[in-house]
Amino acid sequence: MKDVYILGIESSCDETSVSIVKNGTEEIATVIASQIDIHKDFGGVVPEIASRQHVKNVTMVLEECMEKANMTMEDIDAIAITYGPGLIGSLLIGLETAKTLSFVHNKPLIPVHHIAGHIYANSLVKEMKFPLLAVVVSGGHTELIEMKKHYDFNKLGGTLDDAIGECYDKVARVIGLEYPGGPKIDKLAKEGKDTYKLPVPLQDDSYNFSFSGLKSAVINLAHNEEQRGNKIRKADLATSFQKVAVESIIIKVRKAIIDKNIKNMILAGGVAANKGLREAMTNLAKELNVDLTIPDMKYCTDNATMIAAAGYYAYLDGRRADMNLNSVSQCELK
Ligand code: KG4
Ligand code: ZN
């Protein structure tokens, strides 16, 4: 079969990224312009500022990626674009760029759900084997998804309230760490001891998760210590929090593996970069004899490489969009 080169564009939050991927598995070139330094002064992403930055960055990022790949639009077979979920203003900048390229160069436009992108970051590591369990852990999602084949998503369960990444970021803010707090808690967690007692959330018979109770427990704990005039031991709190957050994922993943007789598993989303979770998932996979794939660190948080990889399998699945494609802030993975 002829090689297929997909150009992916991602702009759903605070990263403007363009990438070219060959046959869904081989990264040719990727450029990411991160806005973290701009948003950290505000303690989180400011949507209006993010949209404006995407406008400023997108043409440069596109040109740099084409240069890096030493390719022209003639070499590209299709354009893959994140249409949602995400910040609507941010999504629209990438979408309009993708539509323009598709129209001007007469290339098929492939709509990609952001979470499909996170899942397909794993196809850059090795060929995905089915059926598999996808453990999705990001800033906006915490889901267990069963896949019987490519582009076939069956949601077993998800969070009833906050996503795990959101919880990490809020807890980080409470203990005075800069945005994005997830990686900073992860780093601190290595230095502390598990001394604070926190509740493991939602130990029921479902495949669902809940993180708002854990978040509130940390906020209350910090508040009570402050009222007593005690200083929070930040590293110990990070260690105690991370232990419970990881455990609450592992409990449900273990249940899904056993119930569904899972043999292949992948980890996906920004929180897949978490050292504690990577280690716990690796140990669980060994114990239950499951083949586990985890994306390289650089493909865990938002990037267009994963969108181009997902775009390839969407392309093979016959998925196409036309000029009516619109961005959506919330949408189901299907
Ligand atoms: O997947 P992602 O880039 O955005 C969404 O699609 O939502 O994930 C971003 C989230 C943030 O909440 C960030 O704090 C978290 O992933 N994150 C981490 C780590 N690296 C990123 N959380 C815990 N430990 C990490 N090492
Ligand atoms: Zn993401």
Side-chain angles (χ1 to χ4, degrees):
M1 202 171 93
K2 179 189 165 295
D3 289 330
V4 176
Y5 292 88
I6 305 283
L7 181 128
I9 303 179
E10 157 65 37
S11 69
S12 66
C13 192
D14 59 344
E15 261 94 25
T16 321
S17 181
V18 176
S19 175
I20 297 167
V21 169
K22 179 178 161 186
N23 301 330
T25 55
E26 195 185 319
E27 177 184 12
I28 303 296
T30 300
V31 177
I32 305 177
S34 170
Q35 306 176 10
I36 284 181
D37 284 343
I38 297 167
H39 297 287
K40 75 175 180 211
D41 292 344
F42 302 94
V45 177
V46 183
E48 180 60 29
I49 296 177
S51 317
R52 286 166 192 252
Q53 280 304 121
H54 285 304
V55 173
K56 271 194 191 160
N57 291 342
V58 74
T59 316
M60 264 173 340
V61 170
L62 173 66
E63 276 174 7
E64 202 181 318
C65 180
M66 300 308 294
E67 248 169 56
K68 217 170 151 186
N70 199 17
M71 292 172 99
T72 68
M73 285 307 293
E74 284 303 301
D75 306 312
I76 301 297
D77 292 284
I79 320 278
I81 176 66
T82 308
Y83 66 93
L87 300 172
I88 197 72
S90 293
L91 286 162
L92 278 167
I93 312 304
L95 184 87
E96 289 307 322
T97 309
K99 276 186 179 178
T100 307
L101 288 174
S102 161
F103 182 74
V104 171
H105 298 282
N106 197 23
K107 305 284 177 188
L109 183 64
I110 317 292
V112 174
H113 189 287
H114 183 75
I115 295 303
H118 277 302
I119 288 173
Y120 277 97
N122 285 283
S123 78
L124 296 152
V125 182
K126 66 173 197 250
E127 202 184 317
M128 284 157 68
K129 281 184 272 163
F130 301 99
L132 65 76
L133 177 72
V135 179
V136 178
V137 281
S138 77
H141 290 74
T142 314
E143 286 171 8
L144 296 185
I145 294 164
E146 198 179 13
M147 291 177 73
K148 297 232 158 85
K149 56 183 167 66
H150 277 299
Y151 255 84
D152 170 56
F153 308 105
N154 174 33
K155 183 170 156 185
L156 300 178
T159 182
L160 302 176
D161 39 61
D162 295 354
I164 183 169
E166 197 181 343
C167 185
Y168 261 92
D169 293 339
K170 282 187 187 150
V171 165
R173 204 189 296 188
V174 169
I175 59 177
L177 302 172
E178 252 183 7
Y179 173 85
K184 295 186 182 76
I185 291 195
D186 193 13
K187 207 162 155 232
L188 255 191
K190 269 203 235 100
E191 297 163 19
K193 289 199 191 73
D194 175 22
T195 55
Y196 288 106
K197 259 228 123 1
L198 294 167
V200 176
L202 206 67
Q203 299 191 60
D204 64 356
D205 214 29
S206 73
Y207 301 110
N208 292 327
F209 304 93
S210 165
F211 285 97
S212 72
L214 177 58
K215 174 190 70 187
S216 304
V218 174
I219 293 172
N220 290 341
L221 191 148
H223 187 70
N224 291 341
E225 290 292 81
E226 198 179 293
Q227 282 197 328
R228 287 192 200 112
N230 296 336
K231 265 209 148 145
I232 285 277
R233 297 181 309 278
K234 288 187 183 182
D236 289 352
L237 186 55
T239 309
S240 307
F241 166 74
Q242 175 135 312
K243 183 169 173 275
V244 171
V246 168
E247 202 177 322
S248 63
I249 298 287
I250 293 295
I251 288 172
K252 295 299 175 89
V253 173
R254 176 189 291 277
K255 177 176 156 51
I257 292 174
I258 294 169
D259 292 355
K260 305 275 172 188
N261 192 22
I262 298 293
K263 297 280 174 238
N264 302 295
M265 181 162 68
I266 60 175
L267 190 58
V271 186
N274 185 274
K275 301 256 176 10
L277 184 60
R278 292 168 88 95
E279 195 183 310
M281 286 285 288
T282 305
N283 292 340
L284 181 71
K286 254 192 215 143
E287 181 197 329
L288 299 180
N289 204 14
V290 173
D291 187 287
L292 170 70
T293 309
I294 303 181
D296 289 353
M297 293 294 274
K298 64 176 175 178
Y299 298 132
C300 287
T301 41
D302 293 348
N303 62 85
T305 328
M306 66 185 198
I307 301 302
Y312 171 75
Y313 293 98
Y315 177 83
L316 294 188
D317 197 45
R319 295 175 183 232
R320 304 286 183 272
D322 61 20
M323 291 299 129
N324 291 316
L325 180 66
N326 209 349
S327 301
V328 268
S329 57
Q330 289 191 338
C331 48
E332 278 297 310
L333 175 61
K334 53 184 184 346

